[in-house]
Amino acid sequence: MSRLVSFPWTFLEKDLERNTSSDLISDILQQTCLHSLCREFPPAVRYRKLFLSELITRQEAAGCDPLDALYDALAEVVGAGDPTECFKSYLLPGGEAVSLLERVALVSEGTTGLVTWKAALYLAEWALDRRQTFTGRTVLELGSGAGLTGIAICRSCRPSRYVFSDGHPRVLQTLRDNVRRNGLSELPSGAVAVEEMDWTTATEEQITRIGADTVIAADVVYDPVVVEGLVEMLSRILRCSSPEVFICSTIRNPETYAGFKRLLDAAGIVHQVTTGAVSQVFPYSRVQMETLQLFT
């Protein structure tokens, strides 16, 4: 999950200058492309191809002994074609991995919900630093997408019940598969649910039945039309009960984000920016992240 330019290539070069055996390259290969996690949940073909090609380049430049396993791994990737889906594995602080099937393209089948966006990573990190907000509570997540945030919370924060939700049929199927893939379907009956929830048609009966103590959403403020339905949904949620509500956003378009806040004001929903440091767990660039807490 790290960009290739962030890898310690200089360290590798210096080590290979001192020792031209293939032992270090072999160790790296075993802990990356040949690791059991990557064999079970293979990362993107293009990503593996670039990584292995760079390893071969560094090895050959240092005059190291050839390593057949390295060339075999590259041959396997070259022959894999160019699939539209891949796995991404996100390591939690305790060493566990959340492995998700995601689309390679950022937008596919008319939705952005088949990939993990940065705000979902940030909200997961925010939750890991504030576990008391989720422990022993019923949590409703709006626009769960591929499921990273919710799976991380279920693994680390011990909610009594967690409800993933989305409105796109293809996203819901991928979400159910990722929930099952990460072992959440093995939890006690009713502890985890995946529900279809269209923000424009969701009823107060559905919201009341879920009975959320905490409501969260990540990267749902990206389009003015979508935002209108979101604010309507949030208004219904806050009318039905008094949960803690947190919305995490990457502010790509300040005008759209300001419009979201104006709609909240018009709906009588008070909002304030949460403060405090958030420990970084995942390798990504944090740019203009903000988490709002909402009140009536």
Side-chain angles (χ1 to χ4, degrees):
M1 293 305 304
S2 296
R3 298 177 64 222
L4 294 186
V5 295
S6 70
F7 286 14
W9 299 113
T10 302
F11 168 82
L12 175 62
E13 286 179 348
K14 291 181 178 179
D15 196 283
L16 293 178
E17 288 173 2
R18 294 192 297 268
N19 183 1
T20 58
S21 77
S22 60
D23 291 347
L24 177 59
I25 296 291
S26 179
D27 287 344
I28 292 172
L29 188 61
Q30 291 298 324
Q31 293 300 321
T32 53
C33 292
L34 298 186
H35 191 279
S36 58
L37 182 65
C38 288
R39 301 303 285 177
E40 185 176 3
F41 303 113
V45 167
R46 181 175 179 273
Y47 183 85
R48 285 180 286 156
K49 188 186 300 183
L50 289 171
F51 173 70
L52 291 167
S53 297
E54 188 66 30
L55 268 186
I56 289 172
T57 298
R58 304 283 174 161
Q59 180 196 43
E60 292 178 345
C64 296
D65 299 333
L67 181 63
D68 290 342
L70 183 56
Y71 293 92
D72 290 343
L74 180 61
E76 177 183 325
V77 174
V78 170
D82 192 19
T84 59
E85 295 180 320
C86 68
F87 287 99
K88 293 186 179 180
S89 293
Y90 305 85
L91 299 181
L92 299 177
E96 291 182 283
V98 175
S99 296
L100 306 177
L101 183 66
E102 301 186 18
R103 285 299 179 95
V104 173
L106 294 179
V107 180
S108 58
E109 299 194 37
T111 179
T112 58
L114 295 169
V115 297
T116 296
W117 294 85
K118 291 180 180 179
L121 297 170
Y122 186 82
L123 183 55
E125 294 170 335
W126 184 91
L128 292 173
D129 277 348
R130 295 159 179 80
R131 301 186 188 205
Q132 71 280 358
T133 303
F134 305 93
T135 301
R137 293 186 166 196
T138 295
V139 182
L140 169 62
E141 182 182 3
L142 305 177
S144 298
L148 182 275
T149 300
I151 294 171
I153 289 173
C154 289
R155 286 276 191 84
S156 303
C157 302
R158 299 185 181 278
S160 61
R161 185 167 183 253
Y162 197 97
V163 179
F164 297 84
S165 73
D166 210 283
H168 193 282
R170 186 66 181 86
V171 174
L172 284 167
Q173 184 56 55
T174 298
L175 181 56
R176 291 188 182 100
D177 291 342
N178 282 335
V179 166
R180 173 189 50 76
R181 186 173 285 117
N182 286 275
L184 299 189
S185 58
E186 300 170 8
L187 295 175
S189 178
V192 173
V194 178
E195 292 203 13
E196 181 177 1
M197 185 171 284
D198 185 316
W199 299 339
T200 60
T201 60
T203 64
E204 294 189 359
E205 288 77 12
Q206 183 182 17
I207 297 168
T208 301
R209 173 177 53 77
I210 293 172
D213 304 303
T214 302
V215 176
I216 60 171
D219 226 331
V220 291
V221 182
Y222 57 88
D223 180 88
V225 176
V226 172
V227 165
E228 290 181 11
L230 173 63
V231 173
E232 291 175 7
M233 180 67 180
L234 293 169
S235 295
R236 286 196 294 275
I237 288 172
L238 290 166
R239 280 200 307 268
C240 291
S241 58
S242 301
E244 291 188 289
V245 181
F246 301 95
I247 309 295
C248 181
S249 303
T250 302
I251 307 173
R252 300 182 186 85
N253 186 323
E255 184 177 340
T256 298
Y257 195 64
F260 170 58
K261 290 183 174 180
R262 286 195 296 270
L263 287 172
L264 290 175
D265 291 336
I269 300 175
V270 180
H271 50 88
Q272 68 179 30
V273 178
T274 63
T275 58
V278 176
S279 304
Q280 184 151 9
V281 175
F282 307 111
Y284 68 104
S285 175
R286 288 182 177 179
V287 179
Q288 293 187 301
M289 298 287 181
E290 186 169 280
T291 301
L292 293 178
Q293 183 170 7
L294 310 184
F295 312 86
T296 52

